[in-house]
Amino acid sequence: MGGMIMNREVKFRGKSTTNKEWKYGIPIALDDSTIIVEDEGVFNDGSASPFFSKWDFVISETIGQFTGLHDKNRKEIYEGDILRSVKFHDIVGYIMYDKKEGAFMFINIDELMNTELVNRCHITERWLNEFPKEVIGNVYDK
């Protein structure tokens, strides 16, 4: 069977509860909070029990997955990022994962930040190459 092989880095980001900076890594849900482990586990003294050298509590609602794609400036694109068309500055939208579509989507928004759900499309490398976009912010930074 000849199928397409998806080869992209799986990682997430979330805003730190302590300093509101973005933390990148793998999220882990705890009983009443979420942490992001920034570094992979490090084994010490031959122990099979890893410890994590860098992690932080993050605001659960801000966690977004890396899409595997980059904007025109080679900046990574995550769920929640706001993108603007390089050629048509009035085309602005944010990135979300649509479970029904099984894909990351670009959701067009108007100046009043009212979502127009009818105006949305799958984001792909080809789409970004043909219609360059740049990350101008994200929905969590006010």
Side-chain angles (χ1 to χ4, degrees), residues 101-115:
E101 294 281 335
F104 291 104
M105 306 289 286
F106 175 84
I107 310 297
N108 194 47
I109 50 181
D110 64 23
E111 298 98 29
L112 301 175
M113 294 296 285
N114 291 325
T115 303

Side-chain angles (χ1 to χ4, degrees), residues 66-121:
F66 175 47
T67 64
L69 301 169
H70 297 82
D71 75 355
K72 76 164 190 100
N73 302 313
R74 301 297 305 147
K75 183 174 181 176
E76 294 178 337
I77 301 174
Y78 285 82
E79 284 179 272
D81 277 345
I82 298 173
L83 275 62
R84 179 178 60 205
S85 171
V86 173
K87 191 172 182 181
F88 306 101
H89 283 239
D90 58 333
I91 298 177
V92 176
Y94 68 93
I95 303 302
M96 68 166 272
Y97 184 77
D98 186 319
K99 290 178 186 169
K100 198 167 110 183
E101 294 281 335
F104 291 104
M105 306 289 286
F106 175 84
I107 310 297
N108 194 47
I109 50 181
D110 64 23
E111 298 98 29
L112 301 175
M113 294 296 285
N114 291 325
T115 303
E116 298 290 336
L117 290 177
V118 293
N119 195 356
R120 55 196 276 159
C121 63

Side-chain angles (χ1 to χ4, degrees), residues 14-43:
K15 279 202 156 212
S16 167
T17 58
T18 53
N19 61 14
K20 305 298 185 246
E21 291 180 4
W22 288 107
K23 302 296 176 180
Y24 297 83
I26 301 297
I28 299 174
L30 305 175
D31 286 340
D32 56 356
S33 58
T34 305
I35 63 171
I36 281 196
V37 177
E38 295 185 65
D39 289 342
E40 294 181 20
V42 181
F43 292 92

